[in-house]
């Protein structure tokens, strides 16, 4: 059975992802690429994966080069566009240096600095694994991508009398009702 390429792409777009910019140094200077195909792979050793389009400059430029994965904050759409090949007029980036002098983006809510681990053929993409050598977080809501547009996470989906979090106080039961109300309001 043949799958319509546009329908396949729409199906994949229904999976909401975070938005990251992978940054690295090249012979031409500091570079970056907006990537939403990012995932954790292993806790021991600490490995993550980014999927890079073969036709993207980053695909070849990152081969054997340390890099950082910058998880963007909800108000950083300008950075997402900039590194997706849509330059933003007047955008100035005050680069920071992470471990191994890898360039990182200021204000990202999470930054993972990586040494190259392995590369794999992924069809029209290269799957780049990195060994995480440094990681830190900052407060803020993540920028997410769903159905072809940037969005934010909104209210958490909670249910039950008490929801526990590893890094926040327990959420009261009324939050589940608020989350369901938001869903119904958006659906109508």
């Amino acid at each position: 059975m043949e799958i319509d390429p546009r329908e396949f792409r729409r199906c994949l777009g229904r999976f909401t992802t975070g938005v990251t910019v992978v940054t690295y140094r090249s012979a031409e200077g500091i570079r970056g690429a907006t990537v939403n195909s990012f995932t954790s792979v292993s806790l021991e050793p600490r490995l993550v994966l980014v999927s890079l389009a073969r036709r993207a400059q980053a695909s070849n430029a990152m081969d054997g080069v340390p890099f950082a994965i910058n998880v963007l904050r909800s108000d950083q759409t300008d950075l997402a566009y900039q590194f997706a090949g849509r330059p933003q007029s007047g955008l100035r980036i005050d680069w920071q240096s992470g471990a191994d002098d890898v360039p990182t983006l200021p204000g990202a809510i999470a930054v993972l600095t990586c040494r190259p681990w392995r590369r794999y053929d992924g069809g029209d993409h290269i799957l780049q694994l990195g060994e995480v050598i440094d990681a830190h977080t900052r407060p803020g809501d993540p920028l997410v991508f769903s159905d072809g547009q940037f969005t934010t996470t909104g209210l958490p989906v909670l249910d039950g009398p008490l929801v526990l979090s590893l890094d926040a106080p327990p959420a009261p039961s009324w939050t589940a009702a608020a989350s369901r109300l938001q869903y119904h309001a958006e659906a109508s």
Side-chain angles (χ1 to χ4, degrees):
M1 174 184 223
E2 188 66 28
I3 298 174
D4 175 42
R6 288 176 301 181
E7 182 63 13
F8 180 58
R9 192 171 174 94
R10 274 193 298 272
C11 284
L12 295 176
R14 296 303 306 224
F15 184 70
T16 300
T17 63
V19 180
T20 68
V21 171
V22 178
T23 52
Y24 57 95
R25 290 189 189 279
S26 75
E28 294 80 35
I30 297 174
R31 297 288 183 255
T34 300
V35 174
N36 70 340
S37 295
F38 156 71
T39 190
S40 61
V41 174
S42 170
L43 294 177
E44 193 53 47
R46 294 178 301 271
L47 299 176
V48 293
L49 177 145
V50 291
S51 179
L52 305 165
R54 278 191 191 276
R55 68 181 187 276
Q57 291 177 358
S59 177
N60 290 327
M62 285 180 54
D63 192 3
V65 175
F67 59 95
I69 299 166
N70 302 269
V71 179
L72 297 186
R73 197 179 55 231
S74 61
D75 63 346
Q76 293 181 310
T77 55
D78 55 347
L79 291 173
Y81 282 122
Q82 177 75 24
F83 293 104
R86 297 181 184 169
Q88 302 297 291
S89 178
L91 180 64
R92 183 174 179 274
I93 300 171
D94 294 321
W95 292 99
Q96 298 175 339
S97 285
D100 282 358
D101 199 33
V102 175
T104 64
L105 293 171
I109 61 169
V111 177
L112 299 112
T113 306
C114 305
R115 289 190 182 126
W117 179 264
R118 304 267 192 293
R119 288 169 68 90
Y120 297 99
D121 180 357
D124 60 2
H125 281 64
I126 294 290
L127 307 178
Q128 175 70 60
L129 270 69
E131 178 184 17
V132 179
I133 59 171
D134 189 35
H136 65 274
T137 62
R138 293 183 185 100
D141 292 325
L143 178 63
V144 296
F145 192 74
S146 181
D147 286 330
Q149 63 186 358
F150 293 115
T151 186
T152 61
T153 55
L155 291 174
V157 177
L158 306 169
D159 213 348
L162 189 65
V163 177
L164 299 177
S165 171
L166 295 177
D167 55 0
S173 60
W174 64 265
T175 56
S179 180
R180 285 189 295 274
L181 180 62
Q182 177 189 17
Y183 170 78
H184 291 296
E186 290 175 351
S188 51

